[in-house]
Amino acid sequence: MTDTLTIRRPDDWHLHFRDGDVMRAVVPYTARQFARAIVMPNLTPPITTTEMARDYRERILAAVPEGHDFMPLMTCYLTDTTNVDDLARGAGEGVFTAAKLYPANATTNSASGVSDVELIYPVLERMEAEGIVLCVHGEVTDHDIDVFDREAEFIERHLRAIIANFPKLKVVFEHITTLDAVEFVKASGPNVAATITPQHLHINRNAMLVGGIQPHNYCLPVAKRETHRLALRAAATSGSPKFFLGTDSAPHFRHDKESACGCAGIFGAPVALESYLTVFDEEGAIEQFEGFASLYGPAFYGLPVNEDSVTLERAESPVPDELALAGSTIVPWHGGQTLGWRFRG
Ligand code: DOR
Ligand code: ZN
């Protein structure tokens, strides 16, 4: 039995840092485990220009604790009126690593998102030409579509068309939650990949709805039924380079989640690697973990792999019920549980 695992330092290919005090409180958790992270732009106001992204990157870098070599990779929030020249300039100058498509009102701070995907086809055309990665929140927002069907419906209504129209565009289908998404990504070319969160590998929708409403298991896209969770576990541990790590770590204060209209998002950063490795261990696939966590993401984004390494050890690892952060409290993913792996550093 493997009791320690040393792998190249991983990267987190999708997370939310927020801004201000919360950002300063959460960045150290990610910088402790990861070398780089794709930072979501859904602030208020959203990060829509090169200048905004450059400033935001500086604020994040200023929050990285001494002794950590951490690089935030910035994304441009696409809107109906994105300035494509500015996006291309920002990508050329190394400020933007990707652009993010939020369908309007799909999730937290997405009101300024794209109201009709076809409106941004000229932007996608330029991104395809310039090799800029498109990160997609793949859910339709139409009120007539059941929340559990929104991801599968997005594939049929939008993603197939995007990929058919822009066959060389690099697309990351983010935080996938369904067998439909797994199959779609597998059947697509090498320019289409997906990230998978730890929560969608651990829980199905029962964890959110059985025994009382469980707001700390609520995120978007919502966890689906067990069949889908099993498909995600198989994909993540398969060794396919199309599936890689993206926590979607999304801090919300405890009181905002435990409310009559609780926020979507799970704060996974404090125990990200321990959580993922538990799944790989349960699946008998520890040898596939380094590819998922540290190799396939850089390969897809065309970036070098990290040179240093991290070690995890098999040991009881209790997770606190809550963390005092930014003058309030945040419940971390796995809060109150004991994991079987510990991050050593
Ligand atoms: O659960 C989520 N939380 N899903 C998202 O897409 C956004 C995120 C957030 O920003 O809180
Ligand atoms: Zn997200």
Side-chain angles (χ1 to χ4, degrees), residues 10-334:
D11 306 295
D12 186 344
W13 298 98
H14 177 128
L15 58 57
H16 302 262
F17 277 151
R18 317 300 188 202
D19 211 344
D21 289 347
V22 172
M23 182 272 285
R24 283 186 286 276
V26 303
V27 163
Y29 289 101
T30 293
R32 180 173 156 259
Q33 298 202 333
F34 297 99
R36 295 168 291 198
I38 288 274
V39 180
M40 286 300 119
N42 61 333
L43 306 185
T44 334
I47 302 293
T48 50
T49 68
T50 301
E51 273 330 292
M52 292 174 90
R54 207 191 292 276
D55 291 349
Y56 184 33
R57 182 169 67 181
E58 285 311 308
R59 296 197 294 279
I60 295 167
L61 284 170
V64 175
E66 217 149 290
H68 289 285
D69 194 8
F70 174 77
M71 181 52 71
L73 305 175
M74 310 312 289
T75 56
C76 176
Y77 185 116
L78 297 176
T79 69
D80 290 351
T81 57
T82 291
N83 179 334
V84 71
D85 292 327
D86 179 68
L87 168 58
R89 184 170 63 87
E93 292 174 4
V95 177
F96 287 131
T97 299
K100 170 76 186 228
L101 167 57
Y102 282 110
N105 302 316
T107 185
T108 308
N109 290 343
S110 60
S112 321
V114 174
S115 64
D116 175 356
V117 177
E118 288 189 16
L119 282 175
I120 60 157
Y121 271 17
V123 177
L124 300 184
E125 189 175 1
R126 182 79 171 271
M127 288 172 63
E128 179 186 39
E130 310 237 351
I132 304 169
V133 172
L134 176 71
C135 295
V136 180
H137 184 112
E139 286 191 287
V140 297
T141 53
D142 313 53
H143 293 295
D144 58 321
I145 305 295
D146 188 279
V147 71
F148 292 104
D149 297 333
R150 288 180 172 197
E151 183 174 283
E153 195 62 29
F154 186 88
I155 297 171
E156 300 311 323
R157 287 198 191 176
H158 303 297
L159 208 45
R160 281 190 201 287
I162 290 175
I163 285 158
N165 281 295
F166 309 102
K168 295 204 180 75
L169 181 65
K170 281 185 169 187
V171 177
V172 181
F173 194 173
E174 299 189 288
H175 43 54
I176 58 168
T177 62
T178 56
L179 169 63
D180 313 62
V182 168
E183 286 182 342
F184 177 80
V185 170
K186 274 199 206 156
S188 302
N191 55 316
V192 179
T195 54
I196 306 182
T197 75
Q199 56 266 25
H200 293 112
L201 295 171
H202 277 277
I203 61 172
N204 61 35
R205 62 195 193 178
N206 285 13
M208 197 170 49
L209 297 169
V210 173
I213 275 214
Q214 313 285 327
H216 300 290
N217 289 335
Y218 173 56
C219 63
L220 286 169
V222 286
K224 308 295 192 297
R225 62 170 67 239
E226 180 67 358
T227 340
H228 298 290
R229 185 182 77 100
L230 295 178
L232 297 170
R233 285 171 78 103
T237 59
S238 67
S240 163
K242 285 172 152 286
F243 302 98
F244 47 85
L245 187 156
T247 61
D248 201 11
S249 181
H252 291 280
F253 289 132
R254 176 172 211 143
H255 59 85
D256 291 329
K257 288 194 64 72
E258 295 176 5
S259 97
C261 184
C263 297
I266 293 179
F267 182 43
V271 289
L273 292 178
E274 300 90 318
S275 180
Y276 279 116
L277 182 54
T278 300
V279 171
F280 279 71
D281 192 10
E282 287 166 359
E283 294 290 328
I286 287 182
E287 72 287 353
Q288 302 293 358
F289 188 54
E290 184 174 36
F292 177 81
S294 314
L295 306 179
Y296 306 150
F300 185 84
Y301 274 87
L303 294 169
V305 295
N306 299 310
E307 283 306 324
D308 64 335
S309 59
V310 297
T311 298
L312 291 109
E313 61 193 355
R314 201 184 284 282
E316 288 214 343
S317 190
V319 184
D321 291 330
E322 62 176 24
L323 300 164
L325 290 179
S328 189
T329 54
I330 297 184
V331 175
W333 171 232
H334 293 299

